Amino acid sequence: MTPGRRSSTFTRLLRHGFTDPSAAERLLDGPELTPVRNDPVLLEALGATADPDLALHGLVRLLEAQPTPTAHRELLDTLIAAKPLRDRLLGVLGASAALADHLARHPADWQALVTYEPRDLHPGVEEFERGLAEATDPVTLRVAYRRCLLSIAARDVCGTTDVAETAAELADLATATLRAALALARQNAPEDAAACRLAVIAMGKCGGHELNYVSDVDVIFVAEATEQSTETEALKAATRLASHLMRICSETTVEGSIWPVDANLRPEGRNGPLVRTLSSHLAYYQRWAKTWEFQALLKARPVAGDAELGQDYVDALQPLVWKAAERENFVADVQKMRRRVVENIPAAEIDRELKLGPGGLRDVEFAVQLLQLVHGRTDQSLRSGTTLDALQALAAGGYVGRDDAARLDEAYRFLRSMEHRIQLYRLRRTHLVPVAEEEQRRLGRSLGLRADPVAELNREWRRHTGVVRRLHEKLFYRPLLDAVAQLAPGEARLSPEAARERLVALGYADPAAALRHLEALASGVSRKAAIQRTLLPVLLGWFADSADPDAGLLNFRKVSDALGKTPWYLRLLRDEGAAAENLARVLSAGRLAPDLLMRAPEAVALLGDGDGGGLAPRGRAALEQEILAAVGRAENAGHGVTAARGVRRRELFRTAAADIVGSYGTETSPAEADQGALVDRVGAAVSDLTAATLAGTLRAVVRDGWGDTLPTRFAIIGMGRFGGHELGYGSDADVVFVHEPQDGVDEHEASAAANKVVAEMRRLLALPSADPPLLIDADLRPEGKSGPMVRTLKSYEAYYRRWSLVWESQALLRAEPVAGDEELGRRFTELIDPLRYPRSGLGEDAVREIRRLKARMESERLPRGADPKLHTKLGPGGLSDVEWTVQLFQLRHGWEQPGLRTTRTREALAAAREAGLLSAEEAEILDEAWVLATRVRNAVMLVRGRAGDTFPTEPRELAAVGRYLGYGAGHAGDMLDAYRRTARRARTVVEELFYAD
């Protein structure tokens, strides 16, 4: 061969899509293709396949396998003369290495592609049964199955059938195969066949008439006795037949396997009997079945065995399917199902997952099935087991927007086509898009993308998954907006009853009110209404993901009404990715954050990504600077404290919003895994805010009454949780006040001024207003409520020297200056250090006294009727248990262990562990219990809007606490069990460390 000719052929092969022209040239010049080497028809046909190299290689192997020269010549002649065969055969060889292997093993099977009569274009179960009729054992059944599969694949790759028709043919072939396998099992055990009536019910994609090339075939078996047998005998016989049927299809032989038969969708799954009677099935579904099991029954279809029994099964169970939406736990189950589970997909694969990944096939299928369950109760046209047929029916009935349905149909068809072609190549069960460029090239070409197959494939794939991701949520909610906004004349829309049904199914307790809110927000032709119609489908989904969707929607309407004329509000939600989801989470998580927001709705700006400051907490110095500046601009103390309380309200909202978002997580960032970090952030933020508010209030009162200088130096000492940087949303400010007269000032004058300052601070911070009050609690001062509100430093010194009790030393462990004269606060700290960290530790009498006080507190202060095991403060293993244990360590060992000299519980606990005062395991148990109890208290305040030490009893509030703590819908019981378990473990440690000598 001359170099010129070689160059010309080489170029021609490249132009026809070959990636290895040298190898292709050798094959074309080989003996098998000598008679047709120069026939342009062959090269054109090879170039039209998905992988010309693969097709040519498969063709040569098939020719080599022909048993005689006559057979060889017949294949070549037919190939050149008959375009239908040429397109079918080469199309299959270019798309499927597995079917090329089959043809090489069974070289006469190419003739299954020759016939081209009308009935061959769309064969059904009967035609496939004829194709399998000669099978006499599992091996010949496999050969016949592959021969039928060959014809399906040929019609598929040539475009004779579309993806839905191909999936239906595959399901029909599976039906015929199950019937053939059951016939073989019956022939093998005629006694068993005579002893029972056995029906095979197809489920999943086979039942839905939309099977993949390679998929588990999901089935359920139902049996009844015959006149010759008892029920027990019949069930045993049927179980043997069913097991044999499964082995015939699943086991690997010299011809490979067909597909696994999976019966795990049966009642009780793999733990239940393989075969049941109809009455047993019915009893299970009436009493025990979960919502997902009724969802699975949407696709149930009798396919093999006793046809009458199979139909009786479907007739008996279908009414239960359409009552599933009326079940008490339907909403909770729906919410659980809607949270797509991707944890089991390796991180490296999630972006290549066609089925379970974001915007994948499962999203479409689940959305359609949920809408069927909700609306199929009253509309029988929706009861198809086939996804695309059901989607079309939903659109026709107005349950889904027509445009949305059309785009979802297109995306689903494309993704299923990708799945089919990926599986067809090796006939392996996979839903992963290949990584290798040559495989993506073959895949793209098989889908008709020829200009730049790899780039076009990835672009189209991402486009369609993007469509599914966007429409997945809108599918539920946009028709609700269309129903109330009435902007698309002539298009079918949801009836009021259907709209109410859908809202109830999605967790809305008052659908009529929800529809009124939607109408108010989305009706009209204004730009504002148009943006709302864009936002609401997504927002409604986030509200439905919460424990109280109704509150979320109501609160959103209130905020929108308040800010409706503000140009930046809707723009913020539309354009800043985090803002809309953050707002939805905050508005539906409970009462506190929305109440704080409603008093100044412009704080919505904090939820965005831009200049609003975001949700990161601000430090004490920045807060104090802002509040003191506001006080400085105020006309009087009242106005100054009002300004300080306004800052406090805004910053409480920032803290609560950050806590909620961190606890719930968002679509782009998961929930905070470190629960302790969440607790610490809230405690530090609220404590800093309280200290800054007190500093501003002190400045306002002093300036109003005395100008720049108070007659006495004045300091505020934080106590309890305030001093420990552990304040919650509903905590009072525990403090003591200390003063010291200025030089030359009479002590009575100084004392009167200090008391007036305290009284005025308490009054101004507790005045009724739009901002939450800050209550000052000074009961931890010497002599408690009976003692003076303010003392001089000398008075404290005298009292502590003569009268101090052990409980006061314990209380002083958490004392820390928070506002006022810094030097006076430092001296107060120096005064109390010897009391709270006594040299040589506590005596045994003092230890016994602390234990006695703890025991008395447990018995006397627990509220009547409260469940001690669920009381986060005083119950066993609660905050008091952990804190008193840690404080006993501090009193005993603080003098010798510097790390224990801290006001913070978790820091002191870690220091005690470092000092060897308790084991790492004991410290972890106590820390976990303290963090959980604190989280529960924060959750109760966020949910109810008022402080509480026990779990709420109202179901929605309890569920909201659960969502905050990371428990999904329907898992409130798990949350309570986990709390009891954590507290019980902590109490065991406390009894060992606190009470044991």
Side-chain angles (χ1 to χ4, degrees), residues 769-787:
S769 81
D771 300 312
L774 175 57
L775 301 180
I776 295 176
D777 186 340
D779 289 353
L780 290 175
R781 65 189 183 271
E783 302 178 75
K785 293 181 180 179
S786 303

Side-chain angles (χ1 to χ4, degrees), residues 182 186 196-200 221-224 238 241-242 275 304-306 309:
L182 181 57
R186 287 174 176 274
C196 66
R197 299 170 61 203
L198 174 64
V200 183
F221 297 105
V222 57
E224 296 291 345
L241 289 174
V275 184
D306 191 301
L309 177 57

Side-chain angles (χ1 to χ4, degrees), residues 667-835:
E667 291 188 353
T668 55
S669 61
E672 170 71 66
D674 186 349
Q675 304 289 297
L678 284 169
V679 163
D680 290 344
R681 278 202 292 273
V682 171
V686 179
S687 300
D688 286 345
L689 179 56
T690 301
T693 305
L694 290 177
T697 303
L698 175 61
R699 172 74 63 86
V701 169
V702 170
R703 192 189 65 173
D704 217 33
W706 293 273
D708 292 334
T709 307
L710 191 65
T712 187
R713 302 171 74 182
F714 187 89
I716 304 173
I717 312 299
M719 302 289 284
R721 296 193 175 286
F722 188 13
H725 300 256
E726 297 161 359
L727 284 180
Y729 300 109
S731 300
D732 296 345
D734 287 324
V735 299
V736 296
F737 301 102
V738 57
H739 79 104
E740 186 175 68
Q742 299 278 8
D743 292 341
V745 175
D746 177 72
E747 190 165 319
H748 289 293
E749 180 189 350
S751 179
N755 276 286
K756 187 174 180 181
V757 166
V758 171
E760 187 66 0
M761 286 182 67
R762 297 181 80 186
R763 183 184 74 82
L764 290 172
L765 288 170
L767 279 176
S769 81
D771 300 312
L774 175 57
L775 301 180
I776 295 176
D777 186 340
D779 289 353
L780 290 175
R781 65 189 183 271
E783 302 178 75
K785 293 181 180 179
S786 303
M789 183 65 71
V790 191
R791 289 176 182 262
T792 63
L793 189 62
K794 286 183 179 179
S795 175
Y796 276 106
E797 185 179 7
Y799 175 85
Y800 287 138
R801 185 174 62 250
R802 294 186 62 189
W803 308 110
S804 177
L805 299 173
V806 68
W807 74 264
E808 291 176 301
S809 295
Q810 184 180 354
L812 289 170
L813 285 167
R814 313 189 75 178
E816 180 175 289
V818 294
D821 190 292
E822 292 183 8
E823 200 270 334
L824 180 60
R826 181 185 57 76
R827 288 164 57 206
F828 181 86
T829 302
E830 291 173 353
L831 168 67
I832 64 173
D833 274 351
L835 288 166

Side-chain angles (χ1 to χ4, degrees), residues 919-984:
S919 69
E921 181 184 6
E922 289 170 330
E924 184 179 346
I925 289 171
L926 294 182
D927 186 70
E928 181 186 5
W930 188 90
V931 167
L932 178 57
T934 304
R935 292 266 293 153
V936 171
R937 295 179 94 208
N938 285 346
V940 169
M941 184 65 188
L942 284 170
V943 169
R944 303 179 70 190
R946 60 182 188 274
D949 293 316
T950 59
F951 288 88
T953 54
E954 198 279 321
R956 281 216 166 191
E957 292 180 345
L958 185 64
V961 170
R963 290 288 288 116
Y964 172 85
L965 294 176
Y967 291 88
H971 286 279
D974 294 339
M975 170 182 66
L976 298 179
D977 289 344
Y979 180 84
R980 291 188 187 99
R981 186 166 55 250
T982 301
R984 186 168 59 246

Side-chain angles (χ1 to χ4, degrees), residues 37-323:
R37 174 185 303 148
N38 298 315
D39 196 315
V41 169
L42 177 61
L43 200 57
E44 290 290 336
L46 287 168
T49 65
D51 187 338
D53 301 85
L54 184 68
L56 177 58
H57 184 258
L59 177 60
V60 170
R61 289 178 64 206
L62 176 58
L63 287 165
E64 289 173 343
Q66 295 305 306
T68 65
T70 302
H72 184 282
R73 187 71 209 180
E74 181 186 2
L75 172 55
L76 275 183
D77 288 348
T78 311
L79 186 70
I80 298 302
K83 185 178 188 309
L85 169 75
R86 185 167 61 247
D87 292 343
R88 289 179 172 197
L89 178 58
L90 295 182
V92 169
L93 292 174
S96 178
L99 289 177
D101 290 343
H102 171 84
L103 285 169
R105 288 196 307 274
H106 304 280
D109 278 2
W110 67 269
Q111 297 189 35
L113 305 179
V114 173
T115 54
Y116 200 73
E117 298 174 16
R119 73 169 184 272
D120 295 310
L121 295 182
H122 301 292
V125 177
E126 289 184 11
E127 286 78 13
F128 288 126
E129 283 188 294
R130 283 198 294 272
L132 303 176
E134 295 179 6
T136 56
D137 56 43
V139 174
T140 53
L141 180 60
R142 279 152 178 70
V143 175
Y145 174 84
R146 289 290 172 92
R147 189 181 304 121
C148 293
L149 193 65
L150 188 66
S151 65
I152 293 175
R155 286 187 292 276
D156 179 16
V157 298
C158 290
T160 307
T161 54
D162 66 17
V163 66
E165 292 167 330
T166 300
E169 288 187 15
L170 289 165
D172 285 341
L173 175 56
T175 296
T177 306
L178 288 169
R179 292 178 182 179
L182 181 57
L184 291 176
R186 287 174 176 274
Q187 290 169 17
N188 189 63
E191 305 85 359
D192 287 342
C196 66
R197 299 170 61 203
L198 174 64
V200 183
I201 312 298
M203 305 287 285
K205 282 188 160 54
C206 183
H209 229 215
E210 50 188 15
L211 197 61
N212 295 328
Y213 274 103
V214 188
S215 173
D216 291 356
V217 171
D218 296 309
V219 299
I220 285 177
F221 297 105
V222 57
E224 296 291 345
T226 62
E227 294 179 358
Q228 295 83 23
S229 63
T230 65
E231 183 177 296
T232 302
E233 292 169 342
L235 286 174
K236 288 180 179 178
T239 300
R240 288 191 291 269
L241 289 174
S243 299
H244 193 189
L245 177 153
M246 294 173 72
R247 290 196 303 276
I248 289 171
C249 296
S250 306
E251 286 182 346
T252 301
T253 70
V254 292
E255 288 292 337
S257 66
I258 302 177
W259 18 245
V261 176
D262 188 341
N264 288 335
L265 289 178
R266 67 186 184 270
E268 300 180 76
R270 65 185 62 204
N271 297 319
L274 182 63
V275 184
R276 290 175 183 256
T277 62
L278 177 55
S279 61
S280 176
H281 277 285
L282 194 56
Y284 173 84
Y285 283 104
Q286 287 172 333
R287 190 167 183 188
W288 303 111
K290 297 180 174 62
T291 300
W292 72 262
E293 293 178 281
F294 292 109
Q295 184 182 4
L297 285 173
L298 278 171
K299 296 183 178 295
R301 180 171 65 94
V303 291
D306 191 301
E308 183 181 356
L309 177 57
Q311 193 58 50
D312 288 346
Y313 174 92
V314 171
D315 292 343
L317 291 179
Q318 283 300 300
L320 299 180
V321 173
W322 306 113
K323 291 179 181 177

